[in-house]
Amino acid sequence: MKKLVLAIAFIGIGGLAMAQQTTTPQDKEARRAEMHQKMEQKHQKHLDEMKKDLNLNDSQVAQIKSLHEKRKSEMKADFDKNKEVRQAKMEDMKAKRAQMDADMKKILTPDQYDKWQADRKAKMEQRKTAMKDRKMMKKPMNTAAPEAK
């Protein structure tokens, strides 16, 4: 019996220790750098495949690379330009959500309100889990075996 209690205690402590892991800004920066490096490798691989498949010369590869860089900078500029609009929309949605919450609190009894809040949180967790599962299920493109010619 003692062994069972000790085993359960260790499992519980281990679970709590795992749940306490936090992400530091350095971890985020390292992850961002790693993702950036992976994207650069992916772009280089794509250029190499284009060079091979289309029989491009070095000049053409350089022109395509500069075209991609130009497009990338334009997309970043568009993203930055629309950042304020996105933030304003997010603030508007937060305000509407808070207003709905206040209205529901007026309509429902305290027990009903608590149950509604719990249901809402549970559904949100289900959506988060479903989104994570979908991301995990996605397969990278071009994973199929090359076609025989």
Side-chain angles (χ1 to χ4, degrees):
M1 186 68 173
K2 285 184 179 179
K3 290 180 182 178
L4 180 64
V5 171
L6 284 174
I8 291 172
F10 282 125
I11 291 172
I13 290 171
L16 289 174
M18 297 286 281
Q20 295 299 321
Q21 292 178 351
T22 58
T23 305
T24 64
Q26 292 85 7
D27 293 341
K28 287 182 180 180
E29 192 62 37
R31 194 174 313 128
R32 183 175 291 133
E34 183 181 338
M35 290 298 294
H36 181 72
Q37 183 180 7
K38 284 181 181 179
M39 289 300 291
E40 289 296 325
Q41 290 172 349
K42 187 177 179 181
H43 290 302
Q44 186 60 44
K45 182 180 176 185
H46 179 68
L47 274 174
D48 292 344
E49 287 176 2
M50 284 180 65
K51 182 177 181 177
K52 180 183 169 190
D53 292 343
L54 301 174
N55 197 21
L56 302 174
N57 61 37
D58 291 338
S59 171
Q60 290 172 317
V61 171
Q63 289 173 347
I64 290 172
K65 191 171 185 174
S66 69
L67 180 65
H68 284 183
E69 290 296 323
K70 178 182 171 190
R71 183 173 174 263
K72 183 178 173 182
S73 65
E74 288 173 354
M75 288 176 66
K76 183 173 177 11
D78 287 344
F79 183 81
D80 292 341
K81 184 175 81 174
N82 294 326
K83 188 174 186 176
E84 294 86 21
V85 174
R86 283 193 317 276
Q87 287 178 338
K89 284 182 181 180
M90 283 176 39
E91 292 298 322
D92 186 42
M93 290 298 290
K94 283 181 184 178
K96 286 179 180 178
R97 190 177 305 122
Q99 182 61 45
M100 181 184 171
D101 197 44
D103 292 342
M104 289 296 284
K105 198 168 194 173
K106 290 177 187 174
I107 296 169
L108 300 175
T109 66
D111 290 337
Q112 290 172 330
Y113 179 77
D114 291 341
K115 186 172 191 260
W116 178 71
Q117 285 283 65
D119 289 346
R120 219 166 85 175
K121 286 181 182 179
K123 286 179 184 176
M124 188 182 304
E125 286 299 319
Q126 285 176 343
R127 281 189 224 115
K128 282 182 181 180
T129 304
M131 288 176 68
K132 284 182 182 178
D133 290 345
R134 259 190 291 170
K135 282 183 180 179
M136 295 296 223
M137 297 294 286
K138 283 186 179 179
K139 293 182 181 177
M141 297 179 84
N142 298 331
T143 57
E147 295 178 16
K149 293 184 181 179

